[in-house]
Amino acid sequence: MLSTSRRHFIKQAAIAAAGTYAGTMAMSAKSYGRIIGANDRVQVGVVGFSDRFRTSLFPPFFGHHKAMNFDLVAVSDLWSVRREQGVSFLQEKMGHSIKGCRNNDELYQMKDLDAVFVSTADFQHALHAIEAVKAGCDAYVEKPFAETMEDNRAALKAVRESDRIIQIGSQRRSGTNYMAANDFIRSGKFGDISMVELTWNVNQPGRWRRPALVAQLKEADTDWKRYLMNRPYEAWDPRKYLEYRLFWPYSSGMPGQWMSHQIDTVHWFTGLKHPRSVVANGGIYAWKDGRKNWDTTTAVFDYGPQDDMTKGFQVTFSSRMNNGEERPAEIYYATGGELNLVNNTVSPKGGLGAGYAKEMGMEPNLLPELVLADPKMRAVASANTGGDALVTSHILNWMECIRSRKQPNAPVEAGYYHSIATIMTNAAARTGSKVTFDEKTQEVMAGGKVFKY
């Protein structure tokens, strides 16, 4: 055990480190009591025992928890079946008892809970992040961070007013290949970006479907009203509880699930916070199973500085669920060639050759052939990755930052800005309008009106 004087010293040092980020922000007495010393075990809870947590987030945590002196102590899930499964699974893996909580009120009543994983329905992430920081907990929060600007603004405010470490589940930010791409573009060696193509295609009628699980879910075994949180009340529907990605306003579908990952790299590499405008088209062309969110989407974005419309570039996001092998692609183009994150290379492909340059009295512009990182290093597309390299690095970064109180690779701002792009895309899809963002009000505007669900 730490002596009283030693524990006091560690807390004071951690507070000083936190102050680098928080500035003059005051710490609550409860938060002060939660400062974690180097030799203290970090107690972690799970908000939502989802497939994503079990197969993708838990393996990296489990692989590092002993060396980092972290422990999992509780799981909160509204559905009794998932809660019991979570307790059983975690007790077997962790080798000690796990507290099962019927809801987050019970979870946050626990003493000495330091951090949580948030892996719940898409529309709940921002709201659960608010609950976590108000309870004095650090959090790993899955993406999309928010599906409405109201939730997005509230969560950003709550996190910024706290001293908590929030890692958004945008694991590309912890990938060595993406870090190399960011360094190369920001160095100026790539030149001005002229176009970015983002694609994510599958052929899976069962993607985001859970028919066997839906058949098991009974209203009496969960808390439907608590599940809905701040969404409008509607009658019990087990599909919207378990297959929420197919139904707005519980998820935007493709923009929130897939595009949020890829558009975040655009923000990261360029320093731009959000698109200047978005248009989108698509529909439910193949899988007519009662879903409301599209199975095919194409969105076109205008990016560039807000104060200079003569500068900028176009981004396209294209996704279909009826033809594809799930090999997401992110390709950045410049007049000198391309940066390809499928194979982690820079090449002169498509660059300005000598012949066409000479015609216009210009010099040729051809990027060198470069390998940014191991071609095998790439984002794993499936949500159930088993703990791939990027997710593993991302979770380890979060754990390290809980110790150091430094900002993680994907701080809350990353989630806030990818959510703006996601909400703009959803608004364009649902209204058929060219959508913009009002910097002053921090609202998404569609057809001259604030977009609301």
Side-chain angles (χ1 to χ4, degrees):
M1 294 292 291
L2 292 172
S3 68
T4 301
S5 59
R6 173 63 175 159
R7 187 178 296 276
H8 177 75
F9 171 79
I10 291 172
K11 286 182 178 180
Q12 291 298 319
I15 290 170
T20 303
Y21 164 65
T24 60
M25 180 176 59
M27 297 176 65
S28 68
K30 188 172 184 181
S31 295
Y32 178 90
R34 288 279 175 80
I35 291 295
I36 301 164
N39 296 321
D40 290 334
R41 179 164 294 174
V42 180
Q43 309 264 50
V44 183
V46 178
V47 178
F49 187 68
S50 62
D51 291 341
R52 173 68 177 172
F53 171 77
R54 179 176 56 83
T55 65
S56 300
L57 306 184
F58 178 75
F61 175 88
F62 188 71
H64 291 292
H65 83 282
K66 289 183 179 178
M68 295 296 295
N69 198 17
F70 276 58
D71 195 10
L72 265 172
V73 297
V75 58
S76 169
D77 200 294
L78 298 176
W79 186 19
S80 60
V81 172
R82 278 287 176 89
R83 184 167 62 250
E84 291 163 5
Q85 288 174 347
V87 169
S88 176
F89 175 85
L90 293 172
Q91 283 183 167
E92 179 184 351
K93 295 294 186 180
M94 303 305 295
H96 59 70
S97 63
I98 299 290
K99 181 176 176 59
C101 302
R102 292 175 299 172
N103 52 55
N104 291 346
D105 289 346
E106 288 188 2
L107 178 71
Y108 293 125
Q109 286 172 5
M110 294 179 63
K111 294 181 179 180
D112 301 324
L113 187 68
D114 301 303
V116 294
F117 283 99
V118 173
S119 182
T120 50
D122 291 355
F123 75 99
Q124 297 173 333
H125 294 161
L127 303 173
H128 284 155
I130 294 170
E131 289 182 351
V133 299
K134 287 189 174 180
C137 287
D138 300 318
Y140 184 101
V141 183
E142 269 298 345
K143 58 82 220 149
F145 185 56
E147 292 278 23
T148 69
M149 282 308 302
E150 181 182 10
D151 295 346
N152 204 23
R153 290 191 301 270
L156 179 69
K157 182 175 185 290
V159 173
R160 283 181 165 175
E161 288 178 350
S162 77
D163 62 337
R164 298 297 85 191
I165 300 298
I166 303 299
Q167 177 86 295
I168 304 300
S170 300
Q171 63 265 19
R172 282 165 170 73
R173 291 195 177 227
S174 292
T176 54
N177 54 334
Y178 287 92
M179 290 178 176
N182 178 53
D183 290 344
F184 187 79
I185 288 175
R186 285 180 175 268
S187 73
K189 296 176 182 177
F190 185 66
D192 292 335
I193 297 170
S194 58
M195 178 78 180
V196 183
E197 291 180 348
L198 311 173
T199 58
W200 198 312
N201 302 317
V202 303
N203 195 343
Q204 297 178 18
R207 189 62 173 258
W208 304 339
R209 293 291 309 277
R210 296 288 188 274
L213 208 56
V214 167
Q216 296 179 41
L217 179 59
K218 308 300 179 187
E219 185 176 7
D221 295 332
T222 189
D223 189 334
W224 176 239
K225 289 183 179 180
R226 187 180 284 266
Y227 170 83
L228 291 174
M229 301 192 80
N230 66 356
R231 292 309 188 256
Y233 178 79
E234 63 175 295
W236 163 250
D237 188 337
R239 288 196 68 190
K240 291 174 181 175
Y241 190 106
L242 290 170
E243 297 179 347
Y244 55 85
R245 294 184 180 96
L246 303 176
F247 301 99
W248 176 253
Y250 311 108
S251 172
S252 58
M254 288 173 164
Q257 275 296 301
W258 293 339
M259 194 199 79
S260 63
H261 276 304
Q262 295 183 318
I263 208 73
D264 177 61
T265 66
V266 177
H267 300 162
W268 179 23
F269 296 170
T270 66
L272 296 170
K273 296 178 179 180
H274 57 77
R276 291 190 292 210
S277 67
V278 186
V279 293
N281 212 330
I284 303 170
Y285 298 130
W287 310 131
K288 302 182 186 299
D289 53 9
R291 70 182 64 202
K292 299 301 180 183
N293 291 334
W294 292 352
D295 64 15
T296 306
T297 300
T298 299
V300 182
F301 305 81
D302 173 52
Y303 270 90
Q306 297 293 318
D307 59 353
D308 188 352
M309 298 300 289
T310 67
K311 297 179 180 178
F313 58 93
Q314 190 176 77
V315 178
T316 61
F317 168 76
S318 178
S319 182
R320 60 182 181 267
M321 299 183 103
N322 45 57
N323 179 280
E325 298 178 327
E326 193 153 25
R327 295 179 180 175
E330 294 150 81
I331 304 176
Y332 285 71
Y333 297 97
T335 57
E338 70 175 37
L339 186 155
N340 189 322
L341 282 159
V342 176
N343 54 26
N344 299 327
T345 62
V346 173
S347 76
K349 183 178 179 180
L352 180 60
Y356 290 119
K358 185 177 180 181
E359 287 179 3
M360 301 305 297
M362 300 169 67
E363 292 296 321
N365 180 16
L366 296 171
L367 290 169
E369 297 272 2
L370 293 174
V371 176
L372 294 171
D374 185 341
K376 295 179 181 179
M377 176 62 73
R378 59 177 301 177
V380 176
S382 172
N384 305 321
T385 65
D388 63 281
L390 268 63
V391 173
T392 296
S393 296
H394 207 50
I395 287 176
L396 179 58
N397 173 251
W398 176 60
M399 297 167 79
E400 291 171 341
C401 289
I402 288 174
R403 290 284 182 203
S404 69
R405 309 315 292 173
K406 294 180 180 179
Q407 282 295 281
N409 289 338
V412 66
E413 289 78 9
Y416 184 75
Y417 295 125
H418 83 221
S419 294
I420 293 175
T422 294
I423 296 162
M424 289 177 72
T425 306
N426 189 38
R430 298 194 175 280
T431 65
S433 302
K434 181 178 181 179
V435 173
T436 58
F437 186 72
D438 189 317
E439 288 281 351
K440 184 176 180 180
T441 63
Q442 295 289 288
E443 291 282 11
V444 168
M445 306 300 294
K449 298 179 180 178
V450 174
F451 175 69
K452 299 284 188 182
Y453 60 83

